[in-house]
Amino acid sequence: MPAEKNPGPSVKDDELYEKLREEGNSKEKSARIANAAAAEGRSAVGRKGGSSPAYEEWTVEELRERAAELDVEGRSSMRKDELVEALREH
């Protein structure tokens, strides 16, 4: 893998990481998914997702709590649509 594309030693599945990055996912999210896939197998990670209502259905308070869990900067002053966008990009 070329040096400019090498995500570093902390990413366990470079190929999946790069695919996720090309799809527009953040570095952090791509690394989490790639490492989970390497540890548990890609098919296990694919089945893992649960069900949750769309962020648009959450209250602003619920969105801010989730943003706090993910350490989203500026969350306290964000409007609902900004929170939804920030969470989706994280």
Side-chain angles (χ1 to χ4, degrees):
M1 176 173 287
E4 67 273 359
K5 289 221 171 210
N6 189 342
S10 64
V11 174
K12 306 302 180 215
D13 187 334
D14 293 344
E15 179 184 333
L16 180 57
Y17 173 85
E18 288 303 327
K19 182 176 182 234
L20 292 165
R21 289 292 291 143
E22 288 170 9
E23 291 175 358
N25 292 294
S26 71
K27 290 179 181 180
E28 184 178 347
K29 181 176 181 179
S30 298
R32 282 195 313 258
I33 293 169
N35 289 343
E40 302 170 27
R42 288 185 182 185
S43 61
V45 171
R47 289 190 304 268
K48 190 175 181 179
S51 62
S52 180
Y55 281 139
E56 288 80 9
E57 296 177 28
W58 293 29
T59 66
V60 173
E61 182 180 338
E62 291 170 327
L63 291 168
R64 284 203 176 113
E65 286 176 10
R66 180 64 179 143
E69 290 172 8
L70 299 175
D71 237 3
V72 173
E73 290 188 34
R75 64 188 172 270
S76 62
S77 61
M78 289 182 181
R79 296 185 321 267
K80 183 174 183 172
D81 61 326
E82 294 171 318
L83 285 163
V84 168
E85 184 178 346
L87 289 169
R88 286 200 172 127
E89 290 178 359
H90 189 275

